[in-house]
């Protein structure tokens, strides 16, 4: 679109994040902003993490103890193991990334992101500290 | 569309479910129905759970023992833990929700949902009893 | 399109795979090829596994020890259990399939699959040996 200096479209957005500790970072506001900027009324927003030791999940946005408990329990279910061979030593982080998944697709209806009352979209950092990127693509249809 | 009393489109559907026990509820029929009603011939169906202690997964639709074994093993991998701090006491359910994921995207081709022979779409209830909602958005393209 | 002998479109692709052992099979090249053939410039690629003891994940494409460690740790988190009742004896494989998920949605921008530098798309075989199929649907929008 001309007003955007030749960008092919306005439905693809990139954001950066300083992920200083292992945590779930609430990115719901950015995803909503992307949907608003896209002008898409009906479709879906694909939220995507291009890193292999981080992921995207949707979970409770109210009590911070939920995220704390999730991080604790992920560490118990997917601990570092002496048998791991990957030289970087972050295989547990790679596994947590595959367990939560590299992306989430959220419905857009009437120009709004369709999230449940208690849902937030989270960027999950499992191998801090890192400067991270995530993408939002708003599909129309 | 005018014939639908002003609804913006017919590709977004909501369903409710009485989830009385921890279980995987087969919602394949509703997803197929949504695809049929949408009139979309080619695209994808986004099946979405707006709750944080429930999720969506795709797994075997034939032997009910598969679902029974999955529920048992999820309880073993992600048990309730004395270290959990979330006051509602359902952190394990929140974790299972993030492990299976809040949604699934299934391809639509020739007007049909493209599922494997043994695949069903399941609503996974991890914190019963609840009256739940799930959404189906059919994307065209 | 007429040149394709009456196929409804060229955005839906099926591939087969000989999955002789429990492993993650790198299918990134096929997904890229599907995106190229589709001619879709902006949208998303839905990569889908129609089997219930296999799945799709996105993880590191550089050091093969990462995949080796992931397989090892998935076996530890989701082991075979004496309490399982499913007669086929592959409940652990069904669980791993739900843990990694049956599909992944990757953004397409400017005709390219938007993957991170170290990301590859993997078909995850948990119940070998099998001849498997996976689908790629390229959504435009």
């Amino acid at each position: 679109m001309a007003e955007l200096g030749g960008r092919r479209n306005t439905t693809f957005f990139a954001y950066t994040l300083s992920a200083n500790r292992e945590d779930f970072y609430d990115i719901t506001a950015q995803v909503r902003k992307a949907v608003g900027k896209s002008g898409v009324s009906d479709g879906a927003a694909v939220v995507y993490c291009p890193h292999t030791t981080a992921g995207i999940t949707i979970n409770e946005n109210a009590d911070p103890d939920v995220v704390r408990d999730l991080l604790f329990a992920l560490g118990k279910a997917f601990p570092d193991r002496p048998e791991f061979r990957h030289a970087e030593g972050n295989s547990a982080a790679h596994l947590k990334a595959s367990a939560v998944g590299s992306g989430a697709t959220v419905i857009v209806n009437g120009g709004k992101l369709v999230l449940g009352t208690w849902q937030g979209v989270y960027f999950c950092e499992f191998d801090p500290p890192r400067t991270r990127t995530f993408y939002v693509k708003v599909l129309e249809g």
Side-chain angles (χ1 to χ4, degrees), chain A residues 79-140:
Chain A
D80 194 19
R81 295 187 182 275
E83 297 91 341
F84 284 159
R85 293 191 196 154
H86 178 44
E88 283 189 83
N90 58 0
S91 288
H94 283 284
L95 181 55
K96 292 171 190 172
S98 275
V100 301
S102 59
T105 301
V106 187
I107 297 167
V108 174
N109 194 53
K112 305 280 183 194
L113 202 61
V114 180
L115 287 173
T117 310
W118 308 108
Q119 285 186 321
V121 185
Y122 287 99
F123 184 98
C124 309
E125 176 60 58
F126 297 122
D127 194 29
R130 303 261 190 178
T131 300
R132 299 293 204 176
T133 301
F134 63 91
Y135 302 122
V136 182
K137 168 73 184 178
V138 191
L139 297 167
E140 185 158 23

Side-chain angles (χ1 to χ4, degrees), chain A residues 13-131:
Chain A
F13 303 88
Y15 298 92
T16 56
L17 182 78
S18 288
N20 297 315
R21 61 184 189 286
E22 181 163 3
D23 207 347
F24 286 14
Y25 295 82
D26 190 335
I27 59 173
T28 314
Q30 288 97 321
V31 181
R32 280 194 211 284
K33 197 182 295 178
V35 170
K37 281 187 178 174
S38 74
V40 169
S41 174
D42 295 290
V46 177
V47 185
Y48 187 81
C49 168
H51 309 285
T52 58
T53 53
I56 304 289
T57 200
I58 292 172
N59 217 300
E60 177 164 328
N61 61 4
D63 178 3
D65 276 343
V66 171
V67 166
R68 180 238 167 237
D69 290 353
L70 293 185
L71 288 164
F72 175 80
L74 284 169
K76 291 290 186 183
F78 307 119
D80 194 19
R81 295 187 182 275
E83 297 91 341
F84 284 159
R85 293 191 196 154
H86 178 44
E88 283 189 83
N90 58 0
S91 288
H94 283 284
L95 181 55
K96 292 171 190 172
S98 275
V100 301
S102 59
T105 301
V106 187
I107 297 167
V108 174
N109 194 53
K112 305 280 183 194
L113 202 61
V114 180
L115 287 173
T117 310
W118 308 108
Q119 285 186 321
V121 185
Y122 287 99
F123 184 98
C124 309
E125 176 60 58
F126 297 122
D127 194 29
R130 303 261 190 178
T131 300

